[in-house]
Amino acid sequence: MSSSQKSFLGRGALGKLEEVLSETSAESVFLVKSPGAYEASGAHLLVDQALAKVKTRSFDGFTPNPKWPDILSALDLFRKEPCDLIVAIGGGSAIDIGKLVSFLALQPAAPEAYLKGEEEPSEPVIPLVAIPTTAGSGSEATCFAVAYYEGKKYSVAHEKVLPYCCLVDPALTDGLPPLWSACSGLDAFCQAVESVWAVLSTDESVAHAKKAILLALEHLEAASRSPTRSARDGMSEAAHLAGKAINISRTTASHALSYTMTSNLGIPHGHAVAVTLGAVMAYNYGLGEEDCLDPRGPG
Ligand SMILES: [Fe+2]
């Protein structure tokens, strides 16, 4: 998967939005924003100001872990009056919706055909700027987007799904409540751990994952219980690095096992993944050389 992406990381990164708008010469923007998080994160203060100079249409009609009808609603709204640029602000769900609208908007076949891998994109995508308001999914750094179709999880994976640009500003996570800090942080931690043992891992992905694990071990508890600026900054970087790691390696069993818990029981994604991480780690530890399907070999 390609990892070519313009990225701005660290406090103040959101301020780069005006520069990105100017660079892309965008005259119209389709804004996908998480209901509530757009204002709660403080993103609206800078984003509304940056977007005041361009024609903007907003979409926030979705719930966490986006369902296919949510994607179709966003796509319908976009296609009624296409925009030059998509800006997605929120957790993984908002960014996944932004990715899917970006990817699907100009494609000629039925959207379901791309979701199910029956069609390859023949047309360009609409450039997407991804701005996370949680420190978790790392979705801003990955080439895949998740949607739930009739209760089943699908992932569209294509290098064209990678956002054109991401702005990762930890200040947007400063006001996250403890439960969401913990759930999103656990997602980042589990993604990094799974990435290390994933058979598709490379030296590059392992380096990203190891750094993410160390950052999460240092900062996740503080970010969840008594957040400091340093803890927020650390988890923001951990989540982005874990996203870069799984963009190469993908995730493994704990993620695969989590989707039904989220879809059927409503357990938040990061919590659902963390439930089985220990058991999967113990299982993997017990495997011998004869069980190893890893192309890198055992060890
Ligand atoms: Fe995840």
Side-chain angles (χ1 to χ4, degrees):
M1 291 283 180
S2 164
S3 59
S4 165
Q5 182 185 49
K6 183 187 281 279
S7 56
F8 297 98
L9 314 175
R11 287 186 182 260
L14 185 60
K16 294 286 183 183
L17 181 58
E18 283 202 56
E19 190 179 309
V20 175
L21 290 171
S22 164
E23 268 176 19
T24 55
S25 305
E27 293 179 359
S28 55
V29 165
F30 188 75
L31 177 64
V32 180
K33 52 184 185 178
S34 289
Y38 184 63
E39 283 81 15
S41 67
H44 66 297
L45 299 171
L46 269 173
V47 175
D48 287 350
Q49 186 183 324
L51 295 182
K53 298 164 191 161
V54 297
K55 189 173 175 187
T56 304
R57 307 183 75 211
S58 296
F59 177 80
D60 65 1
F62 60 93
T63 52
N65 310 305
K67 321 296 178 290
W68 191 240
D70 299 339
I71 311 299
L72 294 181
S73 297
L75 206 49
D76 280 351
L77 187 64
F78 181 91
R79 284 174 166 169
K80 276 180 190 156
E81 203 174 328
C83 297
D84 301 327
L85 189 72
I86 299 172
V87 175
I89 303 181
S93 300
I95 294 174
D96 278 350
I97 289 179
K99 285 172 161 178
L100 288 166
V101 174
S102 156
F103 182 72
L104 295 169
L106 302 181
Q107 308 308 327
E112 289 81 358
Y114 302 96
L115 182 73
K116 295 176 180 175
E118 297 162 355
E119 287 280 348
E120 278 291 303
S122 57
E123 301 301 319
V125 301
I126 308 294
L128 169 66
V129 181
I131 306 174
T133 57
T134 62
S137 74
S139 180
E140 75 282 357
T142 70
C143 296
F144 29 89
V146 169
Y148 286 82
Y149 183 88
E150 296 180 349
K152 189 176 166 194
K153 175 252 180 189
Y154 285 83
S155 181
V156 177
H158 195 284
E159 63 181 22
K160 290 184 172 183
V161 173
L162 183 72
Y164 156 75
C165 172
C166 66
L167 310 178
V168 182
D169 190 333
L172 299 180
T173 70
D174 282 347
L176 269 183
L179 178 64
W180 286 108
S181 300
C183 287
S184 52
L186 282 170
D187 186 22
F189 177 69
C190 294
Q191 287 181 173
V193 172
E194 289 180 56
S195 183
V196 170
W197 65 50
V199 296
L200 294 178
S201 69
T202 64
D203 288 347
E204 182 187 353
S205 70
V206 169
H208 292 321
K210 281 184 174 174
K211 195 166 178 196
I213 290 168
L214 292 174
L215 283 165
L217 287 174
E218 184 178 354
H219 294 298
L220 175 53
E221 186 170 358
S224 305
R225 291 185 189 276
S226 51
T228 60
R229 177 179 278 221
S230 162
R232 294 297 194 192
D233 290 359
M235 283 313 300
S236 180
E237 187 181 356
H240 184 67
L241 287 169
K244 285 170 78 91
I246 63 163
N247 189 45
I248 296 169
S249 69
R250 313 299 293 264
T251 52
T252 64
S254 292
H255 265 71
L257 290 166
S258 77
Y259 296 116
T260 304
M261 285 187 259
T262 295
S263 186
N264 292 357
L265 304 174
I267 298 175
H269 172 66
H271 182 176
V273 174
V275 163
T276 64
L277 188 78
V280 171
M281 185 179 285
Y283 179 82
N284 284 345
Y285 184 73
L287 294 177
E289 191 170 335
E290 67 282 5
D291 305 304
C292 185
L293 296 175
D294 189 331
R296 303 165 303 179

